Amino acid sequence: MRVEADMKLDYKDVLIRPKRSTLRSRSEVSLDRTFKFKHSGQTWTGVPIVAANMDTTGTFETAAVLSSMGLITAASKHYTPASWLPQPDAVKANMCASAGTSDADFEKLIKVMGGNPAIQFICLDVANGYSEHFVHHVRKVREQFPTATIMAGNVVTQEMVEELILSGADIVKVGIGPGSVCTTRKQTGVGYPQLSAVIECADAAHGLGGYIVADGGCTCPGDIAKAFGAGADFVMLGGMLAGHDESAGELIERDGKFFKMFYGMSSATAMTKHHGSVAEYRSSEGKTIQLPYRGPLRDTIQDLLGGIRSTCTYVGAATLKELPKRTTFIRVTQQLNHVFSAHDVHVRPNPQAQAATPGEDEDGDEDGAAAPDATETEPKRAK
């Protein structure tokens, strides 16, 4: 046993110090970046924000909106190969085909990639990227898809970032436990403060010609800016993109207000939906919540991109690529003034057509999985 005494930081522990700037307007800031990937040899240009490969955020409806704005969507791995075929190539080009490490996942990935040559990205996603089996799987997928850009994780330390890049990953997913519906830290005691993880892992990745995606922990546009300022090349968002028209998850009406279901992919909800139950040898490491309904996703994306542009003007960064060079973090004890938080005015939009949950058939039942038992009083479902 050993104790590391160095202070490790989260997004809530710092603010970005403003600096002299020659920029006159947020409109002068470019958030586009161009990357050439180490192993795939591919080049991609766009805004390096990624919708997480969760049932509720990694939807084709989300991808249609994000691709039109230059962002990426990591699709839920529970989409069938057939469901990919009708999607436009322009949308597929900004999507990741997601997969786990089982033989069934690998065979499904082969079918998805084989039938959709427009897909450039693969997301290999496991909760624990430290297993030797995962490293071997990354090598196996790289051998099978030599020209695909592979995103793999999750890890939080430099040595594993290096291991995954040397094994064939172009982008390493960084984050264990910071997500809004993740309970890994509570259930296991394992994790790493996200800002420090991003700073340290970015340094390791860039030394080998690789990249990282900061996955989890962002609660507002300022946190996304901090992740980029800390050296993240991409930022992956889950909870910030949930609860919209394009998000999957049941729409619920309660006392005249609308909510949408949002759950972690290691939650009892997800495991019951896709595997019939929580296996006896494990516990749930995620939670299920009801988010206030947020309306169209495009409005939220415009708001967060506006916040990041504003960050850049405060520090004099004309491009997103310049932001880490212009960032100085200061330790703080308080982020916001909450004196009137209870009196915030929230405009609640009326629900529009909602996205379907990946892996469900037209009747709303999961193909091949047992339906979960109703253990709680069900609120009124919106029509």
Side-chain angles (χ1 to χ4, degrees):
M1 185 276 294
R2 61 190 295 259
V3 176
E4 294 186 8
D6 293 346
M7 176 68 69
K8 303 299 181 183
L9 303 173
D10 252 317
Y11 298 134
K12 66 178 178 58
D13 298 318
V14 300
L15 288 170
I16 298 173
R17 191 179 76 184
K19 295 180 179 178
R20 187 177 295 131
S21 173
T22 60
L23 297 169
R24 294 178 296 176
S25 168
R26 296 169 180 83
S27 63
E28 297 178 12
V29 175
S30 172
L31 299 183
D32 281 349
R33 286 203 59 184
T34 297
F35 298 95
K36 184 175 176 63
F37 299 106
K38 176 181 177 70
H39 297 291
S40 71
Q42 301 281 356
T43 299
W44 179 85
T45 298
V47 180
I49 293 176
V50 186
N53 53 311
M54 306 169 76
D55 282 353
T56 47
T57 56
T59 67
F60 291 135
E61 292 85 353
T62 293
V65 174
L66 265 56
S67 66
S68 71
M69 304 176 79
L71 284 67
I72 298 173
T73 300
S76 167
K77 75 173 187 177
H78 297 293
Y79 276 124
T80 64
S83 66
W84 279 88
L85 298 177
Q87 308 308 316
D89 283 352
V91 174
K92 293 176 186 176
N94 279 334
M95 294 188 72
C96 306
S98 300
T101 59
S102 70
D103 291 340
D105 283 337
F106 185 64
E107 293 303 317
K108 185 176 180 180
L109 181 62
I110 290 174
K111 291 179 181 178
V112 170
M113 296 298 289
N116 302 275
I119 299 174
Q120 300 181 38
F121 296 92
I122 292 173
C123 179
L124 299 178
D125 178 51
V126 296
N128 178 7
Y130 285 79
S131 71
E132 192 172 318
H133 171 69
F134 182 62
V135 174
H136 292 161
H137 190 72
V138 171
R139 293 173 184 158
K140 178 180 177 180
V141 174
R142 169 54 64 203
E143 183 178 350
Q144 180 71 34
F145 303 103
T147 61
T149 299
I150 296 177
M151 180 186 300
N154 283 42
V155 299
V156 289
T157 51
Q158 292 178 309
E159 77 278 2
M160 281 309 299
V161 169
E162 293 166 346
E163 179 77 17
L164 291 175
I165 290 173
L166 293 173
S167 297
D170 298 289
I171 309 166
V172 176
K173 290 176 68 194
V174 173
I176 291 180
S180 58
V181 287
C182 178
T183 60
T184 293
R185 294 178 181 178
K186 177 181 177 181
Q187 290 296 100
T188 70
V190 175
Y192 208 98
Q194 186 70 349
L195 181 71
S196 289
V198 169
I199 292 171
E200 295 167 18
C201 291
D203 181 62
H206 297 162
L208 293 175
Y211 302 106
I212 68 162
V213 52
D215 179 15
C218 290
T219 63
C220 59
D223 289 343
I224 303 172
K226 292 173 187 176
F228 283 128
D233 305 288
F234 297 81
V235 176
M236 180 172 277
L237 304 176
M240 289 186 70
L241 304 185
H244 296 90
D245 292 329
E246 296 81 3
S247 311
E250 189 172 14
L251 182 66
I252 296 168
E253 182 182 3
R254 188 174 67 244
D255 299 328
K257 298 178 181 179
F258 292 94
F259 302 83
K260 291 199 76 169
M261 299 295 288
F262 176 50
Y263 52 86
M265 295 309 293
S266 289
S267 66
T269 298
M271 287 188 281
T272 301
K273 175 181 284 292
H274 298 298
H275 304 290
S277 66
V278 179
E280 291 184 356
Y281 58 84
R282 64 173 300 173
S283 69
S284 165
E285 292 182 26
K287 55 187 174 182
T288 301
I289 64 170
Q290 295 177 8
L291 278 176
Y293 167 69
R294 296 176 176 176
L297 178 58
R298 184 176 295 271
D299 296 344
T300 294
I301 298 298
Q302 289 175 338
D303 179 68
L304 66 87
L305 295 183
I308 299 168
R309 289 191 189 96
S310 190
T311 302
C312 291
T313 63
Y314 271 109
V315 299
T319 66
L320 186 60
K321 185 177 181 179
E322 292 178 27
L323 184 56
K325 300 174 185 177
R326 303 285 298 173
T327 294
T328 299
F329 290 117
I330 54 174
R331 292 282 309 279
V332 297
T333 58
Q334 181 172 314
Q335 289 277 326
L336 306 172
N337 184 337
H338 293 287
V339 65
F340 291 130
S341 295
H343 306 285
D344 285 354
V345 176
H346 298 284
V347 179
R348 303 297 187 194
N350 291 320
Q352 306 298 317
Q354 304 297 298
T357 301
E360 287 187 348
D361 61 22
E362 292 180 354
D363 296 323
D365 297 322
E366 171 70 13
D367 293 329
D373 294 330
T375 57
E376 299 180 353
T377 301
E378 293 290 337
K380 180 182 178 183
R381 265 57 179 173
K383 303 297 183 183

